[in-house]
């Protein structure tokens, strides 16, 4: 809202397809239930379709994408086609705090995919597949890291400050 751009969460897209019992949702659910990443082919197609929509003309926020080096290459192609540039914010947090937050979210939102074993598996997969992307984006001078520990308002302030340091300000 502060940036007047849409927030695009791959998790939300996956859950909507699962809830709608679409073919894509059925395929995605099998991976999500185990804490695994949904395959790139499915994820890339969904993201490409979403960022091609009119509300993304002036930019968008991606949450949960890219998560693999192959997805980075695909996103690079999508951005080249759109003419938009990229800035990457990595929100860092203690692993045990992440587990506690996601378990709390599961209770509040009734999310069946947020069980402790699945959350811990997601963190393992993140360490293996996604954490290395921070180095890749840092080498491109596109990465800013933000401490994700603290109250929501405090972390949001840190994120907005980090974006402002990159020349991105809200309306």
């Amino acid at each position: 809202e502060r940036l007047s751009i849409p927030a695009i969460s791959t998790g939300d897209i996956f859950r909507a397809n699962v809830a709608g019992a679409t073919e894509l949702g059925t395929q995605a659910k099998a991976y999500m239930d185990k804490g695994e990443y949904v395959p790139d082919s499915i994820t890339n197609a969904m993201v490409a379709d979403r960022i091609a929509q009119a509300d993304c003309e002036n930019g968008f926020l991606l949450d949960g994408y890219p998560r693999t080096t192959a997805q980075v290459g695909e996103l690079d192609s999508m951005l080249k086609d759109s003419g938009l540039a990229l800035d990457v914010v990595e929100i860092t947090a203690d692993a045990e705090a992440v587990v506690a937050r996601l378990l709390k979210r599961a209770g509040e939102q009734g999310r069946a995919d947020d069980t402790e074993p699945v959350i811990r598996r997601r963190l393992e997969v993140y360490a293996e597949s996604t954490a290395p992307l921070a180095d890749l984006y840092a080498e491109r001078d596109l990465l800013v890291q933000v401490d994700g520990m603290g109250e929501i308002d405090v972390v949001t302030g840190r994120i907005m400050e980090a974006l402002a340091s990159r020349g991105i300000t809200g309306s």
Side-chain angles (χ1 to χ4, degrees):
E1 289 175 4
R2 291 185 191 188
L3 299 173
S4 300
I5 58 173
I8 302 168
S9 164
T10 52
D12 288 347
I13 294 169
F14 294 151
R15 282 184 290 281
N17 278 276
V18 169
T22 67
E23 181 179 339
L24 175 63
T26 301
Q27 293 173 10
K29 185 176 185 329
Y31 294 93
M32 293 166 59
D33 286 349
K34 295 184 284 188
E36 302 289 339
Y37 286 161
V38 175
D40 289 347
S41 59
I42 296 169
T43 305
N44 291 338
M46 290 188 323
V47 171
D49 178 64
R50 180 62 185 94
I51 69 173
Q53 295 177 19
D55 65 337
C56 293
E57 283 180 359
N58 297 317
F60 47 85
L61 181 146
L62 290 173
D63 174 6
Y65 185 88
R67 291 191 180 209
T68 65
T69 54
Q71 289 178 357
V72 168
E74 190 67 24
L75 179 59
D76 288 345
S77 296
M78 291 178 215
L79 291 174
K80 183 178 178 186
D81 293 343
S82 74
L84 294 171
L86 181 68
D87 286 281
V88 177
V89 176
E90 179 185 30
I91 302 170
T92 61
D94 173 75
E96 292 307 312
V98 170
V99 171
R101 287 177 181 176
L102 293 178
L103 288 172
K104 181 179 178 190
R105 178 180 77 178
E108 292 171 350
Q109 297 179 8
R111 290 178 51 169
D113 59 325
D114 280 345
T115 64
E116 187 166 347
V118 168
I119 291 167
R120 292 196 182 279
R121 177 61 188 144
R122 277 193 214 129
L123 291 174
E124 290 171 4
V125 173
Y126 176 85
E128 295 163 6
S129 301
T130 303
L133 301 186
D135 292 337
L136 186 150
Y137 283 125
E139 289 171 11
R140 294 183 182 183
D141 195 31
L142 298 175
L143 178 73
V144 61
Q145 292 180 315
V146 174
D147 180 2
M149 298 302 295
E151 296 297 319
I152 292 172
D153 291 346
V154 172
V155 175
T156 299
R158 290 180 195 139
I159 293 168
M160 295 307 293
E161 287 174 19
L163 291 172
S165 77
R166 309 287 295 189
I168 301 168
T169 58
S171 51

